[in-house]
Amino acid sequence: DMGLAAHPRVPEARQKHEQLARRHHQRCEEKVCALQAAVEDPRDDDFGASVREALKDAEFARQVQGGKEAIQDATRQLRLWEELRMALQVAVRSECPEVLELAIDEAKEA
């Protein structure tokens, strides 16, 4: 009776499993880096799209050290950016210089 451990393909299968596990871990770490890079992007019109794109792979990032924090930071930065954009849009529509100045000051502080 030959056990599974004695099968000649077991070492090959173990090696393949280890290789896939390393690749998966690397991919997860890359997703954390992508989140960190996205929140460091300039706060221009592309910022929101960039962060949202990076957040699409949040489940990969969550699996490695620092991932959960990177997701939380990206989510927080995106929310703040969206709130500031809305405030600036409202200020522009109000046509009130004081409101616009206040919104611009808020955006600069963020």
Side-chain angles (χ1 to χ4, degrees):
D1 183 46
M2 201 171 166
L4 182 60
H7 193 280
R9 305 239 13 217
V10 168
E12 180 185 331
R14 279 195 183 120
Q15 183 180 14
K16 186 68 173 175
H17 178 275
E18 289 169 7
Q19 182 183 35
L20 290 172
R22 280 192 305 273
R23 274 196 215 146
H24 177 75
H25 186 78
Q26 181 180 4
R27 178 181 171 137
C28 292
E29 288 179 336
E30 288 169 357
K31 299 308 176 182
V32 173
C33 291
L35 283 164
Q36 292 169 336
V39 298
E40 292 174 9
D41 281 347
R43 300 307 198 263
D44 58 15
D45 288 340
D46 298 326
F47 179 77
S50 174
V51 175
R52 279 190 289 278
E53 183 65 30
L55 282 168
K56 285 182 180 179
D57 293 319
E59 286 310 310
F60 286 105
R62 190 180 313 277
Q63 297 176 39
V64 292
Q65 184 175 358
K68 182 178 177 184
E69 294 81 6
I71 294 165
Q72 290 171 340
D73 186 41
T75 303
R76 186 173 42 255
Q77 294 291 336
L78 179 60
R79 185 173 41 249
L80 175 61
W81 180 80
E82 288 174 340
E83 289 172 0
L84 288 171
R85 278 191 57 152
M86 283 192 290
L88 285 168
Q89 289 172 356
V90 169
V92 168
R93 286 189 200 123
S94 76
E95 297 181 11
C96 177
E98 292 83 13
V99 172
L100 184 56
E101 187 176 329
L102 179 62
I104 290 170
D105 289 344
E106 289 279 326
K108 286 179 181 176
E109 291 176 17

